[in-house]
Structures are given as structure tokens and as C-alpha cells.
Amino acid sequence: MSFHFVLPDSRPLLAGPTDGDGRTPGDPIRQLRRDYDRMSRVGMGALAILALVPFGLVATIGVPLMGGRLTPFDIAMAVIGAIALIVGVWILIRLHRSGRRILVALSRLLREPYRSGALPRTAAGWVNARTVNFEPPVLTRIITSSLLGLTGLIGLGIIAYPGFSQAPSLYTTLVLWGAACFLTAAGQMGGVMHLVSGVAEQDPLWVRIRDSLRRS
């Protein structure tokens, strides 16, 4: 089964209403949530950031910077590593861009009925805006982005750790992988916040606080 960054059924929904009377057929919110919630997206991201990117960094930067004479095997691994690194970064960028498109459309659809007055904001909206964080697909992303963020900070923190500059191969590899982890965590957590922001439109308390802050 092939992987799609955006499911075919979701593509028409990213541009807004598609049929003649201005309504999107089916249940667009459920379809976009199904697209975003796919664990295959998490798995593809894990493959990229935990396997392809670190292997590519070690093979293309870590080994050559060790200072020894490169053997034909090292050169071959560097070529393979460069391909793995490019593919890994490409996957992460595509996941980020496709996830952003899905969540922008989803957030718009979640907000629309409450902003237009078609649905009232109730106390249940306050509950929904908070319990969405505990839904398994969302909670998984919160946990993984937190772990990646911590890993990224540790990797970037190597810059200030004395002694590692004497091992340039390890130093450079860890710092670059730390930066990749931190950026991936920021993108993943940003997606969660985008979703929660859309759901929060049904929360009357949050809307009052937000509007009062905007007026001040």
C-alpha cells in the first residue's frame, strides 16, 4: 500500500467548497481529521528523522571529518548517505507542508460554523478544546514532538560543551542532527496547536479572552 502525503479524498477539500451549491460533499472535517490523524504520517517522519537523516549525516559528514584516509567503501557509503540524507530531509519537508495544508483547511472548517453563528458556543466546547489533546493521534504527536525537542536541545547544547570541538566528526553530526530534531519538533507541535486552535473556536471562555486581548 503506497503512502500519500495528502490522501486523494482530501485534495478537493484543501481548496474549499467544490460542488455547485457551495457545499463540500461528504463530511470534510472527518475526512481531514482522518488524513491528519494517520499514524503512517508519524511512522514516515520517524523513518526520516531517526534513520535516514542520522545515517546520512554520519556517512557524509561524520566519517569524512574523522581525518583518516577514505577507502572506496567510505566513499560508497558517503554517496549512499547523501542520498539517504536528501530523501530524509525531503520527507520531513513534505510532511510539514502537507500537514500545514491539511490543518489550515481543517481549522477553517472547524471555525466557520461558530463564527457565522450557525452553531452556538457552549460549555461542551470548553471541554472539547482540552480533551482533543488526549485523543491518541494528537497525544502521540505531543509526546513525539516533546521527545524530539528534548533530543534537539541536547544536540544543539553540544556547542557549549567543552571538549567536543576536538572531535569534529561527532561534534558536527550531533549538532546538525540536533537542529533537525528541534525543527521537526517545532513543526509537529505547531500542527497540534493549529488543530487545537481550530477546536477552541467553540469554547466561549477562550473566545471572550481572545477577543478582549485583541481589543486591548
Side-chain angles (χ1 to χ4, degrees), residues 105-133:
L106 178 58
S107 181
R108 181 182 68 245
L109 292 171
L110 288 169
R111 296 173 188 271
E112 183 179 0
Y114 297 97
R115 288 184 170 179
S116 65
L119 290 176
R121 297 184 176 96
T122 64
W126 184 91
V127 176
N128 293 336
R130 285 147 185 84
T131 56
V132 67
N133 292 302

Side-chain angles (χ1 to χ4, degrees), residues 37 118 125 210:
D37 288 348
R210 182 196 63 193

Side-chain angles (χ1 to χ4, degrees), residues 74-94:
D74 293 332
I75 296 174
M77 290 301 296
V79 173
I80 296 173
I83 295 173
L85 181 60
I86 292 171
V87 172
V89 172
W90 176 80
I91 289 174
L92 293 174
I93 293 174
R94 286 294 304 274

Side-chain angles (χ1 to χ4, degrees), residues 33 36-39 42 132-144 188 192 195:
R33 274 302 304 267
Y36 171 72
D37 288 348
R38 287 179 294 152
M39 294 306 296
V42 177
V132 67
N133 292 302
F134 298 97
E135 296 177 7
V138 180
L139 183 60
T140 299
R141 285 163 171 80
I142 293 175
I143 293 173
T144 55
Q188 194 174 51
V192 171
L195 172 62

Side-chain angles (χ1 to χ4, degrees), residues 159-193:
I159 295 175
Y161 193 83
F164 268 94
S165 58
Q166 299 176 8
S169 61
L170 180 62
Y171 176 85
T172 306
T173 300
L174 287 177
V175 170
L176 291 177
W177 187 54
C181 288
F182 186 79
L183 291 174
T184 302
Q188 194 174 51
M189 185 61 76
V192 171
M193 294 175 66

